[in-house]
Amino acid sequence: MLSIKGFTKHYKNFQIEDVSFEVPDGMVVGLIGENGAGKSTIIKSVLGAVRPDCGQILFNGAEIRKAGKGERQKISFVLDDTGLPMELNLVMLDNVLSCIYDKWDCAKFRSLTQNFALPDKKPIKEFSKGMKMKAAIAVALSYDSKLLILDEPTSGLDPVVRDDILEMIYNYNKDGNRSVLLSSHITSDLEKICDYIVYIHEGRIIFNEEKDELLNKYAIYSIDERQLRELEQGAPVRVLRREYGMEVLAKKDKMPQDFEYKPVTLDDIMLFYSKGEEVC
Amino acid sequence: MNIHISNVSGKSLYEQIYTQIKNQILDGTLKAGEPLPTIRGLAKDLRISVITTSRAYSDLERDGYI
Amino acid sequence: MLGLLLKDIYNIRKQAIWYIAMIVLFCGISVVLKNVAFASTIGILVTISMPLTAIAYEEKDGWQKFVIASGTNVKTIVGEKYLLGVIFALISIIGYSVAFMVVGAEEDRLVEFTAPVCMQLLVLAVVLPLVFKFGVEKGRVYMIIAVVLLMAVLIAVLPVLGNMQEGANVFIGCMAAITVIALCVSFLVSFKIYSKKEF
């Protein structure tokens, strides 16, 4: 459904180089990376708010920069600063958006905001952060899109609200006809819901893998230097040297079977890549 | 239906699901005609990807269990 | 464009009421003092303040990337701000017309009537592209400079215009043409500036 090819963008202090990945039909793709890795820039480019220096962004096969209103409105989005007009209340917002979106469904918007227990007549600026996010999600779900893009939708929210939001994402995707691209540094949320994980680090793609395979393929081993030298080539991928010893991120099937290991989480993988070293 | 998956078992996730469903069918826990959870429903409950559940289900289908 | 206009009006409704009250006040002062200068100049401030305030809210809300992502085209986004300005210009002109007629209008004072109308639209033409380019914070500075300058020119020039007999129609025609051209050029410039912006 969405295909990003060779995305490149240069800023003064920061570059994104040659990022390519896909969001297949019906799948949930998670974008992870440290703050400032480039995730938001990529997302804003898909939405048209930023223009890449190089590369293509294809939505349903067509370059998105040339997309008309009809195509653009097949994509809904939730940004971490919502972008919603804070002085308006939900009734006013409904009126405004029904003029902007061709397929705006007032009834759906009203029922969603009621389900989320959001007040009708209070200006959005008086909502809590969780309520603002839920309002943004209600907006995103009210115009029949095919792709939902979320940029840090759960940052700063308590676990109950986060679970509510993940539930909504699941329901959006449930029938298998719609796709989701979700960027977050709250990796536990991504581990629950994603089919693919794309890891962006310092502007480059580190990997793009099926989530279950990723978490199952790798494990963390505590070993010493001698053992490290004796390992099969390609087994250990990254090493993290700490004060008390050393840990390696390694491929389970290439490691000796009798070595003890810990299952790996996305957090671990990110730490190994940002603070660890490559194994020569 | 009770499925339990583990990240510390040697087997891949879809193998674990495949094996558990197969065993439940063979020992009668799962009866013929009983509906299985959808691939997405199962994925959601187990917190894994639909790719994994659909792989397990298609293997089960291929081998004639469902 | 209707959605955008609606959103802006919701956003600025409190300020709009104040500004309309000011229009009424200044027109009232003009009538009382029998001097159209007050009624004629307030429109210059109001016409540009309203779109500027609307843009200020948008910058604070992060609305601009929202509306771009919704597929609304740049022509509509930029055009709506000009439309907002024109709407308030019209409101000011209505107030000014009333004051003008009460203070005593004669046919050959049409020149005196046209000048402020054109000034109001000119301030829009001059300041909006600057706001699009430099943002509201810097834009306010440009706005104040432009408004003060235009008001000063208008006040200085109005008495002269009142006495203009020959060439009045030519003058009106020129002013109208300059204003229209300025607005068109301004719109094109704003459009180019906005199209290149990234949010």
Side-chain angles (χ1 to χ4, degrees), chain A residues 202-215:
Chain A
E202 289 176 353
R204 286 181 182 275
I205 281 213
I206 303 297
F207 58 71
N208 174 1
E209 300 229 22
E210 283 181 33
K211 178 206 62 168
D212 291 337
E213 252 193 52
L214 183 68
L215 297 182

Side-chain angles (χ1 to χ4, degrees), chain A residues 14 25 65 76 78 83 90 96 127 130 171 212 224 242 258:
Chain A
F14 165 64
D25 286 3
R65 264 177 284 187
S76 43
V78 177
L90 293 180
V96 170
F127 285 13
N171 284 329
D212 291 337
D224 57 36
R242 294 198 190 274
D258 56 344

Side-chain angles (χ1 to χ4, degrees), chain A residues 118-181:
Chain A
L118 297 175
D120 256 9
K121 302 276 173 65
K122 231 193 198 191
I124 299 173
K125 67 181 177 190
E126 291 175 22
F127 285 13
S128 70
K129 181 146 207 279
M131 288 160 75
K132 284 182 185 158
M133 269 312 172
K134 286 184 174 176
I137 291 176
V139 167
L141 299 179
S142 297
Y143 55 94
D144 194 30
S145 60
K146 294 277 169 272
L147 172 64
L148 174 62
I149 301 183
L150 305 111
D151 190 4
E152 303 282 357
T154 54
S155 295
L157 301 180
D158 68 60
V160 177
V161 175
R162 292 208 328 251
D163 196 69
D164 290 340
I165 291 180
L166 291 182
E167 184 78 28
M168 292 168 211
I169 296 175
Y170 169 73
N171 284 329
Y172 176 84
N173 173 248
K174 183 164 67 172
D175 294 328
N177 300 325
R178 299 197 268 218
S179 304
V180 177
L181 175 62

Side-chain angles (χ1 to χ4, degrees), chain A residues 26 167 173-174 212 216 261, chain B residues 8 13 40 44 49-50 52:
Chain A
E167 184 78 28
N173 173 248
K174 183 164 67 172
D212 291 337
N216 220 286
Y261 60 83
Chain B
V8 289
L13 287 178
R40 282 171 190 279
K44 181 189 178 215
S49 151
V50 295
T52 304

Side-chain angles (χ1 to χ4, degrees), chain A residues 23-30 173 178-180 182 190-198 208-214, chain B residues 39-40 43-44 47-54:
Chain A
V23 179
D25 286 3
M27 296 287 152
V28 179
V29 174
N173 173 248
R178 299 197 268 218
S179 304
V180 177
L182 167 61
L190 297 178
E191 280 168 10
K192 288 179 197 160
I193 199 176
C194 291
D195 301 315
Y196 290 92
I197 300 283
V198 177
N208 174 1
E209 300 229 22
E210 283 181 33
K211 178 206 62 168
D212 291 337
E213 252 193 52
L214 183 68
Chain B
I39 51 175
R40 282 171 190 279
K44 181 189 178 215
R47 302 201 164 168
I48 55 180
S49 151
V50 295
I51 304 169
T52 304
T53 52
S54 65

